[in-house]
Amino acid sequence: MKQITFIHAADLHLDSPMLGLRHLPDTIFTRLRESTFRALKKLTNAAIEQDVDFVILAGDLFDGEDRSLRAQSRLRTEMCRLEEKGIPVYVIHGNHDHLSGSWIQLELPSNVHIFTSEVEIKTVKTKSGVIVHLYGFSYPKRHVLERKIDDYVKLEGADFHIGILHGNEGGRSEHGNYAPFTVNDLLEKQFDYWALGHIHKRAVLSEDPPVIYPGNIQGRNKKEIGVKGCLHVTLSNNSSFEFIETADVVWEEAVLDVAMARSFYEILQACQTTIKTYRKKNIGTLLTLSLKNIQLEDSKEARIVDGELVELLQEDERKEESFVWIVDVIMEQTKSSDQEWLTGKTEFYNELYETVNHYQNFEHSLESLYNHRLGKKYLSPLSDSDQEQLLQKAHEFLIKQLYQS
């Protein structure tokens, strides 16, 4: 029975600047800046430990088209480790690290094979004599909007056929609609595996044959929550794929019902208990806490709004290798607090909440930001959940100012 094994990873975004996170303590921010490189090292460790036939990197290895020397150097180091073990690497470049960028290039070792701007076929013969055809292309520019899937044509003469594609399936809204395709488009090609990239959330679009987004190897903001990693894939008569965690820092969200708490101290204890459940050995965690059903009188509740709770929860976490850093505490509305308490005071508060609850003009409010030369380059459109969260943050800010007035 013929069989191959390989690592499928995508969206490494090496040396991501972690925009908007400089408010974190220096030790944690530095750890976060280093996290993409640590994740890459875990990826190569897995390839060596599993003694795979090859590695596939399905686009966006670098975070930007300029490809920093630091990122290139760290990638080269890991590729050399794979070369020493006789493991070839097959690379496509995506919309972030397209071929038209401007950079000082560090040459990669000979085991790294990069696809050109047109769909091409690369042939690999494994140590056991199995022949594999790999199909893919690298983005010639940042915006590739045409259906490149039409250019993938199966060439007979191999034991296995693997498509590598950095693109958007079915018009998913969370990322740019680059190199669009449908699952049926892929299935019609009759390949044995589709190694996808571009969507940062892991997703299995088909199991037979496998059509998979592995997600990115390291979360870069609080929208990229949960474990991140790559896939160890085995193709044979009984194909399988195993998820391997690579992230050095993970983003998490927790909702905590504190209806039974009758004091600020009890809420603090409940939060500390929750933090313990999110602590992972040798991995950092950036945690957002949402508190619901708060039953405190307004003067005590103000201590949460004013940030005292966050400060207490962050104590002693700066130097922890397995830190759990609270990045935000969100207060959900309850009858005993905020909205109903304030709306009962004056007509002004009623009008204020009415405005908040029905606000829709996000495009106008953020126009200057999205028209900024850097904003246009790095910001993606706000989803409905993004708008809702932004509105909630504005709402909390207003409440804080009202408590202090």
Side-chain angles (χ1 to χ4, degrees), residues 264 294 296-309 331 337-338 341 399-400 402-404:
F264 177 86
I294 299 172
L296 304 184
E297 61 186 70
D298 60 277
S299 60
K300 293 180 180 178
E301 188 173 312
R303 298 171 66 185
I304 301 175
V305 178
D306 286 340
E308 290 186 49
L309 177 63
M331 293 170 51
S337 66
D338 297 346
W341 179 77
I399 295 298
K400 181 175 181 178
L402 289 169
Y403 273 130
Q404 292 176 342

Side-chain angles (χ1 to χ4, degrees), residues 9 24 31 33 101 103 131 148 160 173 192 202 204 213 229 285 335 344 359 375 377 382:
L24 293 172
R31 174 85 174 269
R33 284 292 307 272
W103 66 91
I131 303 298
K148 296 292 289 187
F160 295 97
S173 61
D192 299 291
R202 181 160 36 109
V204 179
Y213 285 112
T285 301
K335 66 180 181 179
Y359 188 81
K377 183 177 180 180
L382 291 176

Side-chain angles (χ1 to χ4, degrees), residues 135-153:
Y135 306 73
F137 79 98
S138 291
Y139 279 45
K141 55 186 178 180
R142 181 173 178 84
H143 303 290
V144 175
L145 304 178
E146 58 267 29
R147 282 173 46 87
K148 296 292 289 187
I149 183 60
D150 296 333
D151 297 334
Y152 286 70
V153 179

Side-chain angles (χ1 to χ4, degrees), residues 6-9 54-62 67 88-95 97-100 103 105 108-124 132-141 144 148 151-153 155 160-166 191 193-196:
F6 58 93
I7 293 292
H8 168 203
F54 51 87
V55 172
I56 293 174
L57 301 179
D60 285 357
L61 281 66
F62 302 102
R67 307 187 192 184
V89 183
Y90 294 90
V91 173
I92 65 172
H93 289 297
N95 53 296
D97 60 354
H98 58 85
L99 299 177
S100 295
W103 66 91
Q105 186 171 349
L108 292 170
S110 61
N111 64 317
V112 179
H113 307 276
I114 300 175
F115 286 79
T116 63
S117 59
E118 297 296 332
V119 175
E120 60 176 330
I121 304 171
K122 293 188 182 294
T123 302
V124 56
V132 184
H133 282 171
L134 298 106
Y135 306 73
F137 79 98
S138 291
Y139 279 45
K141 55 186 178 180
V144 175
K148 296 292 289 187
D151 297 334
Y152 286 70
V153 179
L155 177 67
F160 295 97
H161 300 264
I162 298 175
I164 311 172
L165 177 60
H166 191 87
F191 287 3
Y193 187 91
W194 278 97
L196 303 179

